[in-house]
Amino acid sequence: SGVTVTGTTVTAITGNFTSITGATGIFTSISGNFLSDASGNTDVGTYALSGLTTGAFNTALGYNAAGANTSGVNNVAIGYNSAGGNTIGTDNVAIGYNAASGNTVGTGNIAIGSYTAVSNTGNNNVAIGISSLRSNTTGTNNIAIGSNAGSGIVTGVNNTIIGNITGSGGLSNTVIIAAGSTQKLYIDNAGVVSGDTFSGTTITGTTVNAATG
């Protein structure tokens, strides 16, 4: 919000401002961020949205939540250092300790849980569960649900992993469903299906490996 200063001498003003008005020459020190073009932002916590310049409609709660954000819009960061490195990324949701903390330019990501998607700069990823998609950098359109789900993926795209399965660096176009860390269903890039038990050799025209029955 705007700050109006009255009096003859002000020694220091710190914080985030949309405007400061006062008599010319009364300020000896002013430090902070002037949000002249920003609107609709909400920040609670030390350094939350502290780098903001023109970004709008962001919500940040927690120490350094979205702290580096300058012009990103429509982001939600809740938790210590959540989305702390985001600068221009938009439409991201980061909830949890260090969630998406390394995301700088990625857009449309959802990271829920401690250390989720901490290295991510890709777009349209969903990571739910501690350390899920933790190593992902430029991979896009991945969905990882579960503790450590997809944590080994680095550049892979279009994966869906449910359960405690880490995956590997360039894994792409793959579906994995597990019970805990025990893989139950695997559909690879070619559409080949592998699983524990199937009653037949095909499922709706898709080849099945390791089938019984």
Side-chain angles (χ1 to χ4, degrees), residues 64-70 81-89 99-105 118:
N64 201 47
N69 187 64
T70 55
N81 202 38
S82 54
N86 186 70
T87 55
I88 61 173
S101 58
N103 186 64
T104 55
V105 299
V118 293

Side-chain angles (χ1 to χ4, degrees), residues 50-161:
S50 58
L52 197 65
T53 54
T54 60
F57 310 114
N58 298 288
T59 300
L61 287 77
Y63 183 94
N64 201 47
N69 187 64
T70 55
S71 57
V73 299
N74 304 327
N75 296 292
V76 175
I78 301 174
Y80 179 96
N81 202 38
S82 54
N86 186 70
T87 55
I88 61 173
T90 64
D91 299 299
N92 297 293
V93 175
I95 300 174
Y97 181 90
N98 276 313
S101 58
N103 186 64
T104 55
V105 299
T107 293
N109 298 290
I110 298 174
I112 301 176
S114 297
Y115 302 109
T116 48
V118 293
S119 302
N120 179 72
T121 59
N123 301 325
N124 305 317
N125 296 291
V126 176
I128 301 175
I130 184 171
S131 292
S132 54
L133 289 181
R134 179 170 184 160
S135 301
N136 186 63
T137 55
T138 58
T140 62
N141 301 312
N142 296 294
I143 299 172
I145 300 174
S147 175
N148 290 302
S151 60
I153 295 173
V154 179
T155 59
V157 300
N158 305 323
N159 297 292
T160 298
I161 298 178

